[in-house]
Amino acid sequence: MGVVCPLNMAFSGNMIGLFLRKFSRAAEYVALKGKRSLSDDGRYVSLVREALRDPKVFARFKRHPDYRAILEHVTEDYGRQYLELVRKNDPSLLARLEEFKENDQLGDPILSRYPEVGEISPSTLRYVYVASELRRLFGQDLGARVAEIGIGYGGQLLVNDKVFRYGEAHLFDLPPVLELTSRCLEAHVMRGAYQTMTLNQHPGDKDYDLVMSNYAFSELPVELQLAYVRKILSRSKRGYLTMNSGRPGNPFAGDHLTLERLRELLPPFEVFEEVPSTPFRNYVIVWGRQNPSGDSL
Ligand SMILES: C[S@@+](CC[C@H](N)C(=O)[O-])C[C@H]1O[C@@H](n2cnc3c(N)ncnc32)[C@H](O)[C@@H]1O
């Protein structure tokens, strides 16, 4: 039988405390149960708050498992497919990949290596692909006022800022996520302007030239989706929404508006299958595009 040393006990108690704090943070939510988005899952908000408090966690937040459960999980193979789509859509953007790699300079994302491109986060490639789609659908000028709902850390805006003319972007998300986004965006010099706000802080008195939301509006519960429709979506001339709920076969079923209900609530829109295709039947809602050509579903 070994000797029980009080010093060792105190030391190991301390270590266990540290271990527990590091690996099992208490769940933290922003919204009440029933009013939460799928990403307000307890772990994500807790990690974002920790990244805001602790520079060591901020330095690597993009590769933390609790963050990657929500963002930064595009695989190397999908990254390759996004590259091919950008090559097809808008080869001029490929020539600017070095500029877009700026998005990978914070948070230590997991990078993939592609021939002729070098190392880049596959998630950044998805933001470049979305920018190529926005340019194909809406042209070079996004308008004086654009809204983005569910912004991650501002990666899509950072890429858009290099590609488009626009006046100001209104960014909607959860309070700690907005703070993280400002932290990230303020590390850069942007051409346009942005404001961060929660939906509750917004009076709903503004018209928008474009609203976009990728894998975010579709992850909200119906009550919150209806509030976004009333204050933002119905007031926007153009829209681009990547949806992972609302149709049979989508990954998220339950408390989300169906595609049929969205047809009654939003301006008349077209539906496109998400590319690259996945087994999830995700789709993209678009309204107000230039030169509609009848290729939607
Ligand atoms: C799956 S992520 C998508 C992020 C980003 N659009 C992208 O494509 O990388 C979902 C986003 O919705 C945000 N979100 C969660 N609750 C929200 C709310 N109530 N209002 C707006 N955004 C919310 C999350 O913080 C996160 O930024």
Side-chain angles (χ1 to χ4, degrees):
M1 205 169 89
V3 179
V4 179
C5 164
L7 192 67
N8 274 348
M9 279 177 71
F11 178 70
S12 59
N14 219 357
M15 291 299 282
I16 290 166
L18 278 176
F19 179 85
L20 289 178
R21 269 208 304 286
K22 193 163 179 58
F23 294 106
S24 59
R25 289 182 316 272
E28 292 181 52
Y29 303 93
V30 169
L32 291 173
K33 207 168 175 184
K35 298 176 191 293
R36 289 175 194 149
S37 73
L38 296 171
S39 40
D40 194 1
D41 65 352
R43 303 174 75 92
Y44 166 68
V45 164
S46 165
L47 185 269
V48 168
R49 287 191 176 138
E50 196 178 347
L52 290 166
R53 279 192 306 266
D54 182 345
K56 285 206 196 95
V57 177
F58 178 77
R60 312 196 74 202
F61 78 89
K62 287 183 188 166
R63 58 173 67 211
H64 195 289
D66 293 347
Y67 197 78
R68 295 193 67 226
I70 309 297
L71 289 104
E72 286 295 310
H73 46 230
V74 178
T75 62
E76 179 167 342
D77 182 51
Y78 273 102
R80 192 171 298 112
Q81 298 185 57
Y82 286 122
L83 259 180
E84 278 321 302
L85 288 165
V86 174
R87 203 183 300 281
K88 215 169 78 190
N89 251 356
D90 203 334
S92 71
L93 293 182
L94 281 189
R96 300 179 58 191
L97 281 182
E98 285 308 311
E99 278 178 68
F100 303 133
K101 286 181 187 177
E102 239 186 57
N103 187 48
D104 295 341
Q105 285 180 2
L106 289 178
D108 195 18
I110 295 172
L111 305 178
S112 294
R113 177 175 285 282
Y114 302 96
E116 296 164 42
V117 169
E119 291 199 317
I120 188 165
S121 154
S123 298
T124 298
L125 287 175
R126 186 166 73 193
Y127 296 140
V128 178
Y129 163 69
V130 168
S132 76
E133 279 292 276
L134 294 174
R135 191 143 85 163
R136 182 175 72 77
L137 293 163
F138 304 116
Q140 183 61 36
D141 194 339
L142 297 185
R145 193 184 292 124
V146 305
E148 185 177 351
I149 299 165
I151 55 174
Y153 57 86
Q156 187 67 60
L157 179 63
L158 197 65
V159 169
N160 287 355
D161 187 71
K162 297 178 187 303
V163 175
F164 297 101
R165 273 193 307 278
Y166 68 99
E168 61 183 50
H170 289 188
L171 305 180
F172 294 91
D173 211 302
L174 303 170
V177 177
L178 295 174
E179 205 183 319
L180 181 72
T181 299
S182 295
R183 177 87 67 89
C184 292
L185 292 178
E186 290 306 315
H188 301 272
V189 178
M190 297 176 63
R191 299 188 311 168
Y194 74 92
Q195 291 178 36
T196 58
M197 64 203 92
T198 67
L199 188 65
N200 287 339
Q201 291 161 351
H202 181 68
D205 59 349
K206 304 271 188 300
D207 293 325
Y208 290 94
D209 295 294
L210 173 69
V211 58
M212 77 190 90
S213 182
N214 298 312
Y215 315 98
F217 169 74
S218 52
E219 297 189 359
L220 304 174
V222 166
E223 182 184 0
L224 196 47
Q225 284 184 311
L226 289 173
Y228 271 109
V229 168
R230 183 169 56 81
K231 285 182 166 179
I232 314 284
L233 300 172
S234 64
R235 302 192 59 134
S236 182
K237 265 195 335 224
R238 302 181 291 179
Y240 182 93
L241 312 175
T242 310
M243 304 288 295
N244 50 12
S245 71
R247 261 193 346 184
N250 286 156
F252 302 121
D255 187 18
H256 310 288
L257 293 168
T258 62
L259 183 54
E260 293 73 45
R261 186 82 180 98
L262 285 165
R263 287 227 182 261
E264 296 163 6
L265 293 165
L266 296 179
F269 61 74
E270 298 171 275
V271 172
F272 299 91
E273 293 296 341
E274 182 187 43
V275 284
S277 68
T278 65
F280 304 121
R281 296 198 72 222
N282 290 346
Y283 55 100
V284 183
I285 286 179
V286 174
W287 69 94
R289 68 164 162 148
Q290 57 184 10
N291 315 319
S293 66
D295 54 352
S296 62
L297 295 173

